[in-house]
Amino acid sequence: MEVYALVGPSGTGKSHRAVMLAGQLGCEIIIDDGLIIKGNRIVAGESAKKQPTRIGAIKTALFINTEHRRAAVEAISLLSPEKVLILGTSRGMAERIASGLSLPDIKKYISIEQIASAKEMRKARIMRTQHSKHVIPAPIMEVKKSFPESMIDPLQVFLRRKGPRGRTSWTEQSVVRPTFTLYGRFSISRGAIGSIASYAAAGIDGVMSVRHTNIIREGQDVTIELSVVANINYKLDNISREVQKMVKRQVEYMTGLTVKYINVTIVDIKVSEIS
């Protein structure tokens, strides 16, 4: 197994460039902030970005917890990658991670300055310090499992893979604002979710009003029940479908939660002229 390390100060864009660098080096596994990532899946670990304190984040990133470390070691052993990329704020940190996970000595160190310009690093620093935004090199659906109630946006990276034909593709990463940040902690009430759902449903053509919403929440999964008044001039099944699509899109985007079911009941119909 060959081990590589991408090192640089926190907030300089290492996670953003990790997928591209891993593709260039042929690394199948990325180890970043306590996570073991293979392709578009988080296969093991717990993100340091979930921790409420800087000390807790450092411990998680270094796999100090015995159970956390054991799960990571087992996942790497099972996958048996030929090449691994470790992300760290320094050589010493990368070496501690490699040693803690029983990996071979690091073959090569790449500094963030070698793959990112000063301007790009300044931009990354602003996103971290002023907006508390963090990049995780994994798709949104994977990151949501670890970050319920966090604002998550997609970030696409153009990736040229090694090979005789130099195949190119887009890969998705995630930009998160963790629950615990310098802005404090936030939670999302059922009333707020209901308001978002009502507002989204009311914007659909053929919906004259939303009379009632009921939110059933189980962890990060949400079931939404809506009672709406429809315009008789529109097809009722089309209205219901469009309400479901719009409510799911808006609630998931604004809250970071996963909408499991949306049940739409048309409780009344009214006649209105089509403008």
Side-chain angles (χ1 to χ4, degrees), residues 109-122:
Y109 294 90
I110 302 98
S111 68
I112 187 64
E113 290 83 3
Q114 292 176 254
I115 60 174
S117 67
K119 182 179 179 181
E120 289 170 331
M121 287 189 288
R122 281 197 302 272

Side-chain angles (χ1 to χ4, degrees), residues 44-274:
E46 180 178 340
S47 177
K49 295 178 175 67
K50 288 182 64 178
Q51 299 302 316
T53 66
R54 183 177 293 275
I55 295 298
I58 292 172
K59 288 182 176 179
T60 300
L62 292 172
F63 297 89
I64 298 297
N65 178 272
T66 302
E67 183 60 30
H68 182 206
R69 182 172 62 252
R70 184 193 61 77
V73 170
E74 286 184 358
I76 295 172
S77 176
L78 184 64
L79 293 168
S80 299
E82 294 183 4
K83 296 182 180 181
V84 173
L85 177 64
I86 298 174
L87 275 59
T89 56
S90 66
R91 289 194 175 201
M93 179 180 180
E95 289 168 0
R96 285 191 65 182
I97 293 171
S99 175
L101 298 180
S102 302
L103 298 176
D105 292 340
I106 295 172
K107 178 179 180 179
K108 182 179 180 181
Y109 294 90
I110 302 98
S111 68
I112 187 64
E113 290 83 3
Q114 292 176 254
I115 60 174
S117 67
K119 182 179 179 181
E120 289 170 331
M121 287 189 288
R122 281 197 302 272
K123 183 179 178 181
R125 180 82 72 180
I126 290 171
M127 294 299 288
R128 173 67 61 86
T129 58
Q130 295 186 14
H131 303 285
S132 193
K133 289 187 176 181
H134 304 247
V135 173
I136 297 179
I140 282 181
M141 292 310 295
E142 284 291 300
V143 175
K144 272 188 177 182
K145 299 172 185 176
S146 299
F147 285 86
E149 294 194 7
S150 292
M151 300 304 177
I152 308 176
D153 285 317
L155 177 67
Q156 287 192 322
V157 176
F158 190 63
L159 177 64
R160 185 181 297 278
R161 301 182 184 276
K162 293 184 69 175
R165 297 184 180 180
R167 184 168 59 88
T168 59
S169 62
W170 288 98
T171 184
E172 185 183 84
Q173 300 185 33
S174 303
V175 181
V176 304
R177 205 209 92 178
T179 303
F180 285 95
T181 68
L182 58 89
Y183 298 114
R185 184 179 183 180
F186 74 92
S187 59
I188 303 170
S189 70
R190 288 189 297 173
I193 299 170
S195 295
I196 295 169
S198 293
Y199 185 82
I204 298 299
D205 289 341
V207 175
M208 302 190 70
S209 65
V210 179
R211 285 193 178 171
H212 178 70
T213 61
N214 182 41
I215 307 300
I216 304 169
R217 184 169 173 184
E218 298 176 359
Q220 71 179 91
D221 293 334
V222 178
T223 295
I224 301 172
E225 298 175 345
L226 294 165
S227 298
V228 304
V229 177
N231 187 330
I232 198 172
N233 293 312
Y234 290 80
K235 292 185 67 176
L236 302 184
D237 58 337
N238 287 347
I239 292 175
S240 298
R241 261 196 306 273
E242 292 304 313
V243 166
Q244 288 175 317
K245 291 178 185 177
M246 180 59 72
V247 170
K248 177 179 172 64
R249 185 183 307 129
Q250 292 299 324
V251 170
E252 290 189 339
Y253 176 76
M254 295 182 70
T255 68
L257 299 171
T258 299
V259 176
K260 194 173 182 180
Y261 301 108
I262 300 176
N263 301 321
V264 180
T265 303
I266 297 177
V267 295
D268 197 3
I269 53 175
K270 291 187 177 180
V271 178
S272 176
E273 294 182 2
I274 301 177

